[in-house]
Amino acid sequence: MLTINLFNGLTYGALLIVMCSGLALIYGLRRVVNFAHGSLYMLGAYIGYSIAGASNFWVALVGAPLVMASLGVLLDRYGFRLLQDRDPLTVVLVTFGLLLVIEDFVQTVWGKSNLSVQAPAALNFSVDLWGTPVPAYRIAVIAVGLAVALGLSLWLRYSKVGLFVRASSTDPTTTAMQGVNTDALSAGVVGLGTALAGLAGVVAAPFLSLSPSMSSDVIIDSFVVVVVGGLGSLAGAFVAALVLGMVQSLGAVYLPDESAVLPFAIMVGILIWKPAGFAGSRT
Amino acid sequence: MSIQKISLTTVGALALGAAVMSFVSSGTVLSLLTQATIYAVFAIGVGLLLRQNGMVSFGHALFFGSSGYAVGLLLQAKAVPAEMAIVLTLAGLLLVAFAIGLVIVRVPGVSFGMLTLAVGQMFFLTASRSRGLTGGADGMNIEWPSSLFGVSMSVLTRPSSMFMLSWGTLVIVILLLTLLLATRFGSITEAVRDNEERARFIGIRTLLPRAAVYALSALVTGVAGLLSALNTGFVSPESLHWSLSGVALMMVVVGGYKALWGPALGAVVYFLAKDVLGDYASHWMAIFGVALIAVIVFSPSGIAGILDRLLLGRRLAHKPHAVPTAATVRH
């Protein structure tokens, strides 16, 4: 019993890692808290559903994030870049407007009923984990989450572009003066962040059903993660995502009455103790 | 504004409401206007926080829904008379909001918005799941007594009197806030909003004024919640949901928060537009999303700002308001 719950917690945590690293990247470079991130996740899931229906899941896994990446680049070029000198709160409200538009678009194109995506045949088996059978697909989700976490950390730490990203998120003006094209960099990073939201959507599709309400649950959980982890801290978000996944999963079993409130209670507790989040240095 | 001008505007606004009440005979139109007016009070609550603290709340539905639930539960328990229940609800809301405020106003910038969202959702989930107490997702009926403050319920809930009650409340709320913000309290909160560090240097304790503004904005929102509970006789978890907070915020931004009455204008525009757009109603989210983005990009001060510019012309250009900008909102 405990094994399967820990395992489910890990799966949801891995999904949140993919979601929140996109959110944290966009915040890091553009100082934008993207309220539409959950809707982008939903859009990615529905685009994945259509691609998977036309060909197969593996094409969707690559195709949907690519579509989302181009959308992200456009969003940065025609949205965030034009608004970069404005009050951060107004940009938050613009993303809220975007959320409404995307939600309406998804409901118009795909309807309001629940849809589902089949897990690929190659992953449609169970693995024995300490006497508990667990679906292989969920192991793959955990692998994706860890790969995203590891890949992003290595990319930011060791690649030249990663260095530029870190420099630009600390001081964009100086970075631009050193000859880095920060506009292209931001567009690329927002594209990457949006692609990650789309990837999370496609990955989630086979184990969470697609519905017009799927965005609001995940965006609120993601906010809890980035606030608890510290806005802009990727490492903080990774840890907080895993902790929240566990809290959700174990809470539902051991404290069913309080489970809904638990993540928020943790969030409030952390913020009283450390208003910038446990790994955050800036806001 | 001088006292004379304020009293004149107030009397004029009340007369306008009375005129609307007596000339509009259609019950449907009146109840639409009543709803718009109730949401105008709600939006003024959210706008007050943004105007006076520079903070965006994505969780004010918490106070809108809570006041309905609180008065509903007090009436259900039959422990106090209804008038007392209303007073207790508002006083309790003010205290609780002040306590919450002491904790959360310390969280800077956009984190604050996310935190209010989370706290609001916490209460939404609690209300949806406590079936025994609140009726869960089905909501609960509020058992109003047969008369309130000496007025018979059947008279009070007539569309025309319900409209006049809401309108009167709206006017009085704006009047009281105008008077309050003209005092030392108003200057202190503006100083704290514009530059918290500098305010601290000149010896102002910044936490208490911020929490007080938060509590005050919650109280105004709670008044709107009570009006709604009286209007519909019903409260459900939907009145606590974050999307409602988002709608209120849209009204604030579209109407413009730099003027105290801007959010109220936004609420009226929102309801009238929603009614006019009836044919496209299924796409209202996209329509309002685009409208919201357009207003923010092209007129950050909202419709109120446009009106101000049109009415006052160049006079305003030479008298800059102390409004939060990128440099002054703390982040």
Side-chain angles (χ1 to χ4, degrees), chain B residues 37 40 77 105 150 221 264 284 313:
Chain B
T37 316
V105 296
T221 308
W284 70 268

Side-chain angles (χ1 to χ4, degrees), chain B residues 117-306:
Chain B
L117 178 63
V119 173
Q121 270 320 85
M122 187 155 87
F123 281 85
F124 165 76
L125 289 172
T126 312
S128 323
R129 297 200 179 179
S130 336
R131 287 203 70 85
L133 200 58
T134 63
D138 298 335
M140 65 189 283
N141 284 312
I142 297 170
E143 303 157 17
W144 291 105
S146 54
S147 78
L148 204 60
F149 293 105
V151 184
S152 150
M153 211 43 156
S154 56
V155 175
L156 200 62
T157 50
R158 220 180 272 158
S160 56
S161 28
M162 208 44 230
F163 169 75
M164 201 52 214
L165 179 66
S166 313
W167 182 263
T169 310
L170 175 68
V171 173
I172 289 167
V173 163
I174 296 181
L175 172 72
L176 291 179
L177 286 177
T178 308
L179 292 176
L180 180 68
L181 295 179
T183 63
R184 194 176 139 74
F185 176 75
S187 340
I188 287 181
T189 49
E190 269 162 37
V192 173
R193 173 198 69 196
D194 288 343
N195 195 328
E196 184 163 8
E197 214 168 340
R198 199 177 294 165
R200 260 202 302 270
F201 285 160
I202 58 172
I204 298 173
R205 294 187 56 184
T206 59
L207 182 62
L208 291 181
R210 274 187 184 281
V213 169
Y214 184 78
L216 196 61
S217 86
L219 179 69
V220 174
T221 308
V223 169
L226 275 183
L227 280 175
S228 169
L230 187 64
N231 188 28
T232 57
F234 178 75
V235 62
S236 75
E238 267 164 53
S239 61
L240 288 167
H241 196 257
W242 78 279
S243 55
L244 191 66
S245 311
V247 166
L249 198 55
M250 274 202 290
M251 295 170 179
V252 172
V253 173
V254 170
Y257 62 89
K258 286 163 191 177
L260 206 50
W261 47 272
L265 184 66
V268 175
V269 168
Y270 176 91
F271 272 96
L272 295 185
K274 203 173 166 180
D275 197 51
V276 172
L277 292 173
D279 296 340
Y280 309 95
S282 58
H283 292 295
W284 70 268
M285 282 212 306
I287 295 168
F288 277 105
V290 172
L292 181 71
I293 294 174
V295 168
I296 295 164
V297 173
F298 298 111
S299 174
S301 50
I303 301 174
I306 298 173

Side-chain angles (χ1 to χ4, degrees), chain A residues 4-282:
Chain A
I4 192 77
N5 289 321
L6 282 174
F7 181 77
N8 285 341
L10 206 56
T11 315
Y12 190 57
L15 186 70
L16 285 178
I17 285 183
V18 182
M19 272 296 284
C20 296
S21 45
L23 205 55
L25 277 176
I26 294 176
Y27 181 80
L29 231 65
R30 277 301 193 203
R31 290 292 178 275
V32 171
V33 174
N34 188 2
F35 263 75
H37 205 70
S39 310
L40 293 169
Y41 152 89
M42 174 166 86
L43 187 59
Y46 276 94
I47 290 176
Y49 166 84
S50 289
I51 298 180
S55 54
N56 67 51
F57 181 79
W58 301 107
V59 180
L61 191 66
V62 179
L66 281 179
V67 175
M68 296 307 291
S70 16
L71 198 66
V73 171
L74 290 176
L75 177 64
D76 187 68
R77 177 67 189 78
Y78 296 103
F80 299 159
R81 195 201 290 185
L82 304 177
L83 295 168
Q84 60 185 337
D85 298 324
R86 296 280 281 274
D87 181 342
L89 296 177
T90 64
V91 191
V92 168
L93 293 171
V94 167
T95 65
F96 184 74
L98 191 66
L99 173 155
L100 295 173
V101 177
I102 297 175
E103 304 259 316
D104 193 68
F105 177 77
V106 167
Q107 288 185 21
T108 309
V109 176
W110 287 278
K112 290 185 181 177
S113 52
N114 287 14
L115 303 172
S116 63
V117 173
Q118 285 294 313
L123 289 171
N124 211 353
F125 60 94
S126 287
V127 177
D128 191 75
L129 193 72
W130 297 297
T132 316
V134 294
Y137 184 77
R138 293 191 172 218
I139 297 181
V141 174
I142 297 173
V144 169
L146 294 181
V148 165
L150 194 67
L152 278 179
S153 316
L154 292 177
W155 177 64
L156 287 172
R157 185 78 187 81
Y158 293 107
S159 78
K160 192 149 198 176
V161 179
L163 174 71
F164 293 161
V165 171
R166 280 184 291 142
S168 183
S169 66
T170 315
D171 186 348
T173 316
T174 312
T175 312
M177 280 196 291
Q178 306 269 1
V180 175
N181 184 348
T182 48
D183 277 339
L185 195 67
S186 297
V189 167
V190 173
L192 177 62
T194 311
L196 284 170
L199 177 68
V202 181
V203 163
F207 76 99
L208 301 172
S209 73
L210 304 184
S211 73
S213 68
M214 68 185 287
S215 58
S216 72
D217 294 338
V218 83
I219 192 65
I220 288 167
D221 283 348
S222 305
F223 281 171
V224 171
V225 166
V226 294
V227 169
V228 167
L231 264 175
S233 161
L234 220 45
F238 293 156
V239 177
L242 290 176
V243 171
L244 184 68
M246 290 297 170
V247 167
Q248 294 276 39
S249 172
L250 296 182
V253 181
Y254 295 104
L255 291 167
D257 292 336
E258 293 83 13
S259 67
V261 180
L262 224 48
F264 305 113
I266 293 176
M267 177 170 169
V268 171
I270 292 260
L271 287 170
I272 293 175
W273 171 54
K274 230 186 148 187
F278 71 70
S281 50
R282 56 163 184 262

